[in-house]
Amino acid sequence: MITWITTVGWSPFAVINPVWAYCKEFKECPSKFILVHTENERIKKNLSLVKSYLKEIAWGYSNENFLENNIIIHQIDGEDIQNYANTLKKIISTEIDNSPKKIILDMTPGRKYMSAINVYYGLQRSNIPIQVFYLHLEESRYQDVPYPLTPIIKNDLVDIIDSTEIFTKDIGELKDSKVEIGNEQLDDIVKRIGSDQERREKLILLAISKGLSSKNKISRFLYDEGDSIQGSELRKLIKKLESKNLIKTTKMRNKATEYLGYKIIEKGLDLLKKIQRENRNERK
């Protein structure tokens, strides 16, 4: 069971779209939603819309196994920081006692202090993994647009805790494993490729061969190589490499939870070795 905890405010799609994006990207769906809200007539109207969408999304992605009474409404008396923090603490504590597979805190909707509190609880270590997600939109005009109608390159579902840890560590600490492909450094060779897309594809392949198995780790590698990329564009390139049978997607585990990771396979390894050979021949 996955428990998804979020705050319902002025924008219903700030609540709905992160769930939609998660189900599509991770090929799994929360089995329980806890919707926190204050007493306000407009927000109460938004609750009805949110519940309706979440029920349909969960019903579709769970092969019609979702139970409607697993959408829990939790009203708080006010928006002050103490009230919200104490409420969220009690909700998380109760859910931990229920032993879900993991708890997801969505910091997309709500006020800034609510986001900060979500991150704080996400950093607390417990026997149940807690993840914190944020749906980043490049353009505010898509804020009230259903997720399927938003261009994929305009949004990115970010695992905040994982991203923060990855971008603040030395990249050498991030490697899960490494495939040996010779002593030559491929980084400089690949960076000389003229086509932006081809260079990025090869850099992604190189990152995975170095044991950087998650999307965030690959993104960090590209950033260090001077090629910053949006998460949505990175997903498209990874999917393309997978369709070419150069890499494969597999479920992996880190200290927090399961995630979708990537491994280089024989055809991808052969391609990197071919680049090495061609470079040697050019130097002769």
Side-chain angles (χ1 to χ4, degrees):
M1 182 178 78
I2 298 172
T3 300
W4 185 286
I5 303 172
T6 188
T7 305
V8 180
W10 302 116
S11 172
F13 285 103
V15 183
I16 296 162
N17 286 346
V19 175
W20 219 329
Y22 179 86
C23 293
K24 183 174 181 181
E25 184 168 339
F26 289 88
K27 302 295 186 289
E28 62 182 8
C29 188
S31 44
K32 184 177 185 181
F33 297 98
I34 299 178
L35 309 179
V36 180
H37 73 99
T38 57
E39 188 175 10
N40 178 289
E41 287 306 313
R42 179 177 167 185
I43 290 175
K44 285 181 179 178
K45 289 180 181 177
N46 287 345
L47 265 173
S48 177
L49 180 65
V50 167
K51 285 177 63 178
S52 176
Y53 266 90
L54 292 185
K55 183 176 72 173
E56 292 302 319
I57 292 166
W59 184 262
Y61 280 95
S62 67
N63 295 319
E64 303 182 357
N65 290 322
F66 182 75
L67 301 176
E68 187 174 354
N69 60 5
N70 277 352
I71 301 178
I72 312 298
I73 308 299
H74 199 107
Q75 181 176 312
I76 54 177
D77 296 328
E79 291 187 353
D80 59 281
I81 188 169
Q82 297 94 336
N83 196 7
Y84 180 78
N86 287 333
T87 298
L88 190 58
K89 182 179 180 179
K90 289 176 183 176
I91 291 173
I92 291 172
S93 178
T94 299
E95 288 308 303
I96 287 175
D97 289 342
N98 292 331
S99 300
K101 177 183 174 183
K102 63 181 172 182
I103 296 171
I104 295 175
L105 306 177
D106 180 19
M107 60 177 277
T108 310
R111 298 183 179 274
K112 288 183 175 65
Y113 73 80
M114 294 177 177
S115 298
I117 292 168
N118 281 330
V119 172
Y120 172 78
Y121 286 126
L123 289 168
Q124 306 305 303
R125 299 303 179 193
S126 71
N127 58 321
I128 302 297
I130 298 177
Q131 288 181 289
V132 181
F133 279 97
Y134 173 72
L135 185 63
H136 171 68
L137 288 177
E138 280 192 36
E139 296 181 24
S140 59
R141 61 176 169 153
Y142 296 111
Q143 187 172 0
D144 295 313
V145 176
Y147 176 74
L149 301 181
T150 305
I152 191 170
I153 61 171
K154 296 297 183 181
N155 63 70
D156 186 24
L157 187 65
V158 182
D159 184 328
I160 291 293
I161 305 300
D162 188 49
S163 296
T164 302
E165 289 182 342
I166 285 170
F167 276 86
T168 54
K169 284 184 176 180
D170 183 87
I171 198 164
E173 300 176 55
L174 304 175
K175 297 178 179 180
D176 301 308
S177 61
K178 182 177 179 180
V179 178
E180 295 297 335
I181 54 174
N183 296 321
E184 290 181 69
Q185 292 296 317
L186 271 166
D187 305 54
D188 292 334
I189 302 171
V190 171
K191 280 195 289 186
R192 293 199 298 268
I193 295 174
S195 163
D196 287 345
Q197 178 160 315
E198 186 183 355
R199 183 178 63 253
R200 282 178 168 177
E201 287 181 16
K202 301 304 186 295
L203 282 172
I204 293 168
L205 204 57
L206 184 57
I208 297 170
S209 77
K210 290 175 178 284
L212 301 170
S213 60
S214 73
K215 182 164 67 79
N216 285 332
K217 290 178 181 179
I218 295 167
S219 179
R220 165 65 190 278
F221 176 77
L222 290 171
Y223 180 83
D224 284 2
E225 295 294 327
D227 202 340
S228 184
I229 187 173
Q230 290 291 329
S232 53
E233 180 65 22
L234 178 57
R235 285 201 305 273
K236 284 168 62 179
L237 292 174
I238 288 173
K239 200 170 188 67
K240 185 175 179 181
L241 291 174
E242 191 171 17
S243 69
K244 292 180 178 180
N245 294 318
L246 301 174
I247 62 172
K248 67 176 180 179
T249 304
T250 183
K251 281 196 173 181
M252 297 182 173
R253 284 200 66 84
N254 57 20
K255 59 186 176 183
T257 186
E258 277 188 349
Y259 67 96
L260 288 179
Y262 309 97
K263 288 186 176 180
I264 191 166
I265 53 182
E266 188 174 352
K267 189 176 176 182
L269 194 57
D270 288 342
L271 180 57
L272 291 179
K273 290 177 179 177
K274 180 183 177 183
I275 293 172
Q276 282 186 328
R277 288 194 303 270
E278 289 175 349
N279 184 67
R280 281 195 214 106
N281 294 334
E282 286 176 8
R283 291 192 318 221
K284 288 180 181 178

